[in-house]
Amino acid sequence: MRERELPTTLRFMLAARRSELLGLEDLAQTCELVTRLSRLVHALQKERGYSNIYLSGNAPHHRAQLDVLSLEVDAALREVREGFARIDLDAIGGPDKTRLFTRIAYALHGLDELPALRRRIREHRLSMHEATASLIRLIGSLLAVVFEAADTAADPETTRSLVALFNFMQGKELAGQERAIGVAGFAGGHFEPDKLERLEQLWEAQERCFATFCRFAGPDALALWQALLESDAGSQACRMREVARRAGPDNSFSADLCELWFELHTRRMDAMKHVETRLEQDLLQRCGESIGRIRKDLLSHRKLLDGLADMHAAAEQARLFSVQASDLDAPPADGMTSMVARSTLELLQNQTQRMQVLRDELDDARRALDERKQVERAKQTLMRDRQLSESEAYAALRKAAMDQGLSIEDVARRLLALSEQHEALIRPRARH
Amino acid sequence: MRERELPTTLRFMLAARRSELLGLEDLAQTCELVTRLSRLVHALQKERGYSNIYLSGNAPHHRAQLDVLSLEVDAALREVREGFARIDLDAIGGPDKTRLFTRIAYALHGLDELPALRRRIREHRLSMHEATASLIRLIGSLLAVVFEAADTAADPETTRSLVALFNFMQGKELAGQERAIGVAGFAGGHFEPDKLERLEQLWEAQERCFATFCRFAGPDALALWQALLESDAGSQACRMREVARRAGPDNSFSADLCELWFELHTRRMDAMKHVETRLEQDLLQRCGESIGRIRKDLLSHRKLLDGLADMHAAAEQARLFSVQASDLDAPPADGMTSMVARSTLELLQNQTQRMQVLRDELDDARRALDERKQVERAKQTLMRDRQLSESEAYAALRKAAMDQGLSIEDVARRLLALSEQHEALIRPRARH
């Protein structure tokens, strides 16, 4: 029986399942792209690290090493560009693409600027601080693509994997920023108070990212992470933190520590990459499993609906031959019709219930992303309203959380609610 | 310049805007469907009301009136079916359709059962309670479609309108349920304590729906609503509430009050329909305005990007003829290239910022829907874990809110968080 001939109810049920499958297939492509982005981010973090080392001294072997790393970035970048090229920009489905595509455009623009940035680094026409800031922005634009992918995914299991991966990538990026600030501090022989404050923030923010990762990651990735924490790679870098912490502005130290700090942190980040690779595999596997499940469901669903449609047609046929039948006052539903109706209802109830469970699980995973967004918004509100720097705004949130015994997320939520009420009070929203 | 020739960054920017437009055009169709659903719901509410009156007595003029109302429902139903038929089930875009289509299938199934339900009512083969319950379920399935439409819309202004409309429709439906319970109570000569409790719940739930409506509605709809509250239609029905409240199980009264209660509540609901019609007009207008704005934006955006692409091509050309140029060590960006880069960045920053503002506004409107979902989930958790009826579960939430001086939404959120922790503790989530 062709689909056109199915009763409308059954057609909508089938279209709902097909839409789910299409959404997942589209998501699978995005996930594949995300794994390429993760490799590019890792390579860029390495290039940023060596750029700093290169800018801190002037040894020729650093230049050669940097050139090798740039080539590695270029290889990862080609993969990413290939991934972008595979996206069919004309076959755009839901409205969600708006945000994903804008994030991709932003990232692409930053990547176009990379050659110029590299030249200025090699010619020492940039300070370590400027070079780091540029590469933080670039990596941030790539992470924003991963965030958007997680925020628009509709399959809960895949979303959980994406939330775990995004938070791990973000935590690792904060570890990279920690490495950069440490290199600058140790190379300069001391840490300014604002640098130390920033390091404290980075440590705490890493904790929060990895805590969220732990909530959403699968058992294999968790086991790898646990092993890392207990390994030399994990612990030695953290012991170096104590050295930095004790090194105030007056308490200068040998610049040799710079290479040690860099070395240990690089080892830690490389070890993190292994966990990340596991997360990527989990992601692709879960997404593949979900697709397999839905495909199988769709097939058996299709068969069930066809069976129902046949019964429905037979019932209609039977009614045609029924003597009592009239258009004005049809007889009560006969056995066949009501059996079809009951079976349809049962299927519908299954589908609705399943949808509700999926929706609840999805809401749960998305809430972790929403909390991040609220902290970001609260930070920006503080920066705008009180003319604070990003770091000062974050410090203010952290202090408020500690003073009130709340989480940073709770403080952010309350602050935003207050500032919305305030805005509504002083600047009534124009409606048009 | 054809689009294929645009640099990738610009192509993604353009695709993002086009995706936004497509999403809005799709949304416009859903909004149009929602206005048809609103008319069907109103007609069904009327049929339910007269069905109750018919079932409470047996006067022949009620039967004739009921037949007229059934015809009105059928006319509205034809419009809705036409709306459904217009949906192209093969051109399904985002994954969001899964939920909307399942809701539609559910509603369609219920509508298929309507003729049989009507026969049983006319033959007095159903109690007033059963008939009311069936029609409440049917109307609920239609409201669920409206809710899903609101929950999946991506344009903030349109979402605000949908949230206002949904909450108004829901409040009006609760008013309809109030009318039905009152008819049963006055027809029977007295109110059982559970009926009175249910009435109290319906009054309070109406307040909450209309409060949310007030937060999101435009000024015209608000003015109409205010006028309704101050009118006879609005106040007389509410005064009848006092009569019901004073009428305990022992305190019986004349059955004549039944028709008066019905009459006044029907007038109130008809007046509400005027507000609803205004909300529908607002909805279609806002959606149309958003589409117009995006179309205009897209056009000027396209021009800007074409201009940028021309500049980009010219810069590439210039570099070909530049003597210093080599692939290995390209010269620093010349004036033309960096101007193109700056203009692209500026456009991108505008687009990203605009997207962020839209996203924040959308989150704000969606939160109102999310709160409703959480209250529903909390209610269902209570029903499942403590074997309560829906009404008892709601009463328990309400009592907890009053005892703790919190809103019902806050209590629901806390209860769900606790029950998730509890679940995680006793039943570790299987990961596969």
Side-chain angles (χ1 to χ4, degrees):
Chain A
M1 181 175 269
R2 273 172 307 113
E3 186 173 345
R4 285 282 151 210
E5 296 164 34
L6 283 177
T8 322
T9 310
L10 303 186
R11 279 179 53 215
F12 269 95
M13 281 171 76
L14 204 58
R17 300 307 283 266
R18 219 169 36 213
S19 167
E20 198 177 359
L21 180 60
L22 279 183
L24 259 170
E25 284 170 347
D26 183 69
L27 180 58
Q29 195 189 36
T30 309
C31 287
E32 217 265 331
L33 182 65
V34 163
T35 65
R36 293 175 187 222
L37 285 171
S38 139
R39 286 193 287 273
L40 175 58
V41 165
H42 186 67
L44 275 169
Q45 282 164 340
K46 248 192 172 149
E47 181 169 0
R48 179 178 59 196
Y50 277 91
S51 297
N52 280 335
I53 288 288
Y54 172 76
L55 286 170
S56 79
N58 211 346
H61 75 277
H62 283 148
R63 164 77 197 240
Q65 217 163 6
L66 191 53
D67 287 346
V68 170
L69 288 171
S70 293
L71 288 176
E72 281 177 20
V73 166
D74 289 342
L77 183 51
R78 267 192 303 276
E79 298 260 303
V80 165
R81 284 196 193 274
E82 269 173 35
F84 286 149
R86 278 203 211 163
I87 297 176
D88 182 356
L89 292 181
D90 293 322
I92 34 183
D96 289 329
K97 297 290 179 193
T98 313
R99 272 150 42 212
L100 187 67
F101 286 177
T102 304
R103 297 289 186 207
I104 291 178
Y106 209 96
L108 277 170
H109 181 76
L111 290 167
D112 286 344
E113 305 284 292
L114 188 57
L117 180 67
R118 283 173 174 165
R119 271 194 307 274
R120 291 163 72 200
I121 289 171
R122 277 161 180 75
E123 291 164 9
H124 286 275
R125 290 197 290 127
L126 270 187
S127 73
M128 207 191 286
H129 180 74
E130 289 164 330
T132 305
S134 295
L135 283 160
I136 285 178
R137 266 200 305 277
L138 181 56
I139 292 172
S141 74
L142 296 170
L143 285 173
V145 177
V146 179
F147 182 90
E148 220 55 76
D151 202 30
T152 51
D155 177 60
E157 281 299 316
T158 314
T159 303
R160 290 180 70 87
S161 289
L162 278 168
V163 170
L165 178 58
F166 170 77
N167 275 280
F168 196 85
M169 287 177 77
Q170 176 76 21
K172 176 161 165 280
E173 165 58 10
L174 295 172
Q177 295 180 20
E178 174 190 350
R179 179 173 64 183
I181 289 181
V183 166
F186 283 111
H190 67 284
F191 283 90
E192 306 286 346
D194 64 329
K195 286 260 167 33
L196 278 179
E197 164 71 26
R198 182 71 194 136
L199 275 180
E200 294 282 352
Q201 287 179 6
L202 287 171
W203 295 332
E204 202 207 65
Q206 280 177 63
E207 288 303 313
R208 285 172 48 224
C209 285
F210 292 131
T212 310
F213 145 77
C214 287
R215 264 181 61 208
F216 291 100
D220 295 347
L222 280 179
L224 280 176
W225 174 239
Q226 203 51 45
L228 189 160
L229 289 180
E230 289 156 12
S231 71
D232 284 354
S235 58
Q236 284 171 341
C238 295
R239 274 203 293 278
M240 279 296 283
R241 288 177 175 177
E242 278 313 304
V243 181
R245 207 175 246 147
R246 279 197 306 271
D250 316 317
N251 195 350
S252 77
F253 38 65
S254 134
D256 288 351
L257 279 175
C258 177
E259 295 241 5
L260 181 60
W261 166 277
F262 182 75
E263 181 58 32
L264 292 177
H265 273 78
T266 301
R267 229 187 283 164
R268 177 164 174 253
M269 288 181 69
D270 285 344
M272 282 181 185
K273 186 71 191 98
H274 291 300
V275 184
E276 207 173 286
T277 304
R278 179 73 245 175
L279 286 172
E280 289 165 23
Q281 288 161 353
D282 282 354
L283 172 68
L284 296 180
Q285 193 187 332
R286 294 224 190 142
C287 193
E289 280 168 3
S290 290
I291 288 184
R293 199 165 46 235
I294 305 270
R295 275 213 188 111
K296 229 178 87 191
D297 274 15
L298 191 61
L299 208 68
S300 67
H301 209 70
R302 179 76 226 216
K303 274 192 200 139
L304 271 172
L305 293 187
D306 276 346
L308 276 181
D310 286 343
M311 282 160 71
H312 185 85
E316 290 286 313
Q317 197 72 6
R319 198 186 287 160
L320 272 185
F321 291 104
S322 159
V323 196
Q324 306 96 318
S326 97
D327 274 358
L328 288 171
D329 200 357
D334 59 35
M336 191 68 138
T337 310
S338 68
M339 202 170 80
V340 177
R342 267 202 309 277
S343 310
T344 307
L345 183 62
E346 212 171 284
L347 266 181
L348 258 172
Q349 276 167 343
N350 282 344
Q351 187 157 329
T352 311
Q353 204 179 3
R354 190 177 146 276
M355 200 177 72
Q356 197 51 51
V357 170
L358 288 178
R359 178 74 217 198
D360 290 349
E361 286 178 12
L362 184 64
D363 284 349
D364 183 40
R366 286 235 180 117
R367 214 159 287 138
L369 298 171
D370 205 46
E371 282 173 358
R372 166 168 302 277
K373 277 190 278 186
Q374 299 224 357
V375 171
E376 273 310 306
R377 272 182 72 190
K379 224 166 58 183
Q380 254 136 42
T381 306
L382 283 176
M383 287 163 73
R384 186 196 61 201
D385 293 352
R386 303 199 198 158
Q387 276 84 46
L388 299 182
S389 73
E390 184 169 355
S391 172
E392 286 165 343
Y394 186 79
L397 282 179
R398 206 165 62 124
K399 186 169 178 312
M402 278 196 288
D403 289 352
Q404 299 170 53
L406 291 169
S407 70
I408 285 206
E409 289 80 6
D410 279 336
V411 170
R413 199 176 4 252
R414 287 179 186 204
L415 191 130
L416 285 175
L418 280 176
S419 110
E420 261 164 35
Q421 284 169 23
H422 188 242
E423 201 127 322
L425 208 69
I426 56 169
R427 217 186 312 160
R429 204 168 177 292
R431 291 187 204 293
H432 43 95
Chain B
M1 179 174 268
R2 275 172 304 114
E3 188 169 323
R4 286 279 152 214
E5 295 164 33
L6 283 177
T8 322
T9 312
L10 304 186
R11 279 179 51 217
F12 270 94
M13 282 171 76
L14 204 57
R17 299 306 283 268
R18 220 170 33 213
S19 167
E20 198 178 0
L21 181 59
L22 278 184
L24 259 169
E25 285 170 345
D26 183 69
L27 181 57
Q29 196 189 34
T30 308
C31 288
E32 218 265 330
L33 182 66
V34 162
T35 64
R36 292 175 188 223
L37 285 171
S38 138
R39 284 192 288 272
L40 175 59
V41 164
H42 186 67
L44 277 170
Q45 282 164 340
K46 251 196 169 142
E47 181 169 359
R48 179 177 58 193
Y50 277 90
S51 297
N52 280 336
I53 289 288
Y54 173 76
L55 287 170
S56 79
N58 211 346
H61 74 279
H62 283 147
R63 164 77 199 241
Q65 217 163 6
L66 191 54
D67 287 346
V68 170
L69 288 171
S70 293
L71 288 176
E72 278 176 23
V73 166
D74 290 342
L77 183 51
R78 268 193 303 277
E79 298 261 302
V80 164
R81 285 195 192 276
E82 269 172 36
F84 287 149
R86 276 203 212 164
I87 297 176
D88 183 357
L89 292 181
D90 293 321
I92 34 184
D96 288 331
K97 296 293 179 191
T98 314
R99 273 156 37 218
L100 186 66
F101 285 177
T102 305
R103 297 287 186 208
I104 290 178
Y106 210 98
L108 277 170
H109 181 75
L111 290 168
D112 286 344
E113 306 284 291
L114 188 58
L117 180 67
R118 282 173 174 167
R119 272 194 306 273
R120 290 164 72 202
I121 289 171
R122 277 162 179 75
E123 292 162 8
H124 285 276
R125 290 197 289 128
L126 270 186
S127 72
M128 208 190 285
H129 180 74
E130 289 165 330
T132 305
S134 296
L135 284 160
I136 284 178
R137 267 201 304 277
L138 180 57
I139 291 171
S141 74
L142 296 169
L143 285 173
V145 176
V146 180
F147 182 90
E148 220 54 76
D151 202 31
T152 50
D155 176 61
E157 282 298 316
T158 314
T159 302
R160 291 180 69 86
S161 288
L162 278 168
V163 170
L165 178 57
F166 171 76
N167 276 281
F168 196 84
M169 286 177 79
Q170 176 77 22
K172 177 162 163 279
E173 165 57 10
L174 296 172
Q177 294 180 20
E178 175 190 348
R179 178 173 64 182
I181 289 182
V183 166
F186 282 112
H190 68 282
F191 283 90
E192 307 285 345
D194 65 328
K195 286 260 165 37
L196 277 180
E197 164 73 24
R198 183 71 195 138
L199 275 180
E200 292 283 350
Q201 288 179 6
L202 287 170
W203 294 332
E204 201 206 64
Q206 280 177 62
E207 288 304 311
R208 286 172 47 225
C209 285
F210 293 130
T212 310
F213 145 76
C214 287
R215 265 182 62 210
F216 291 99
D220 294 346
L222 280 179
L224 280 176
W225 174 239
Q226 203 52 46
L228 189 160
L229 290 180
E230 289 156 11
S231 71
D232 284 353
S235 57
Q236 283 171 341
C238 295
R239 273 202 295 277
M240 278 295 283
R241 288 178 175 176
E242 278 314 304
V243 180
R245 207 175 246 147
R246 278 195 307 270
D250 317 315
N251 195 350
S252 77
F253 36 67
S254 134
D256 289 352
L257 280 174
C258 177
E259 295 242 4
L260 180 60
W261 167 276
F262 181 75
E263 181 58 33
L264 292 177
H265 273 78
T266 301
R267 229 187 283 165
R268 178 165 174 252
M269 288 181 68
D270 285 343
M272 283 181 183
K273 186 72 191 99
H274 290 300
V275 183
E276 207 173 285
T277 303
R278 179 72 244 174
L279 286 172
E280 290 165 24
Q281 288 161 353
D282 282 354
L283 172 67
L284 296 179
Q285 193 187 332
R286 294 223 191 143
C287 193
E289 280 168 5
S290 290
I291 288 183
R293 199 166 45 237
I294 304 271
R295 276 214 186 109
K296 228 178 90 191
D297 273 15
L298 191 61
L299 207 69
S300 68
H301 209 69
R302 178 76 226 218
K303 273 191 202 141
L304 271 171
L305 293 187
D306 277 346
L308 276 181
D310 287 343
M311 283 161 70
H312 185 85
E316 290 286 314
Q317 197 72 5
R319 198 185 287 160
L320 272 184
F321 292 103
S322 160
V323 196
Q324 308 96 315
S326 96
D327 274 358
L328 289 171
D329 202 356
D334 59 33
M336 192 67 136
T337 311
S338 67
M339 202 169 80
V340 176
R342 266 201 310 278
S343 309
T344 308
L345 184 62
E346 212 171 283
L347 267 182
L348 259 172
Q349 277 167 343
N350 282 344
Q351 187 156 330
T352 310
Q353 205 179 1
R354 190 177 145 274
M355 201 177 72
Q356 198 52 52
V357 170
L358 287 179
R359 177 76 218 197
D360 291 348
E361 286 178 10
L362 185 63
D363 284 349
D364 183 39
R366 285 238 179 115
R367 214 159 289 141
L369 297 172
D370 205 46
E371 283 173 356
R372 164 168 302 275
K373 278 191 276 186
Q374 300 225 357
V375 172
E376 273 310 306
R377 271 182 73 191
K379 224 166 56 182
Q380 255 136 41
T381 306
L382 284 176
M383 287 163 72
R384 189 195 59 202
D385 293 352
R386 303 199 199 158
Q387 276 84 46
L388 297 183
S389 73
E390 186 170 354
S391 171
E392 287 165 343
Y394 187 79
L397 283 179
R398 206 165 64 125
K399 184 168 180 314
M402 277 196 290
D403 288 353
Q404 298 170 53
L406 292 168
S407 69
I408 284 209
E409 289 80 7
D410 279 336
V411 169
R413 200 174 7 252
R414 288 181 186 203
L415 190 128
L416 285 175
L418 280 177
S419 109
E420 262 164 35
Q421 284 169 26
H422 189 242
E423 202 128 319
L425 208 68
I426 54 169
R427 216 184 315 160
R429 204 169 176 292
R431 291 189 202 291
H432 43 95

